[in-house]
């Protein structure tokens, strides 16, 4: 729970929800890739 966690999905919406769940579980260093894989053009 102390390590950095990076979450990504296609659009960024599901990974945003996952980030919130992880925070509630006690993870502290969470990065959500804004815009998801679609933003990687």
């Amino acid at each position: 729970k102390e390590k950095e966690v990076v979450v990504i999905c296609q659009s960024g919406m599901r990974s945003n929800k996952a980030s919130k769940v992880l925070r509630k579980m006690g993870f502290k260093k969470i990065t959500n890739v804004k815009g998801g894989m679609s933003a990687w053009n």
Side-chain angles (χ1 to χ4, degrees):
K1 291 185 178 184
E2 300 303 317
K3 291 184 179 181
E4 182 178 7
V5 179
V6 179
V7 287
I8 189 167
C9 68
Q10 184 64 36
S11 67
M13 298 300 284
R14 288 170 294 190
S15 57
N16 186 41
K17 288 181 184 178
S19 296
K20 291 177 182 176
V21 171
L22 288 169
R23 269 197 194 85
K24 286 181 184 175
M25 292 174 65
F27 288 83
K28 292 175 176 45
K29 300 176 186 173
I30 303 167
T31 303
N32 178 30
V33 179
K34 197 171 187 176
M37 294 300 288
S38 297
W40 276 35
N41 291 331

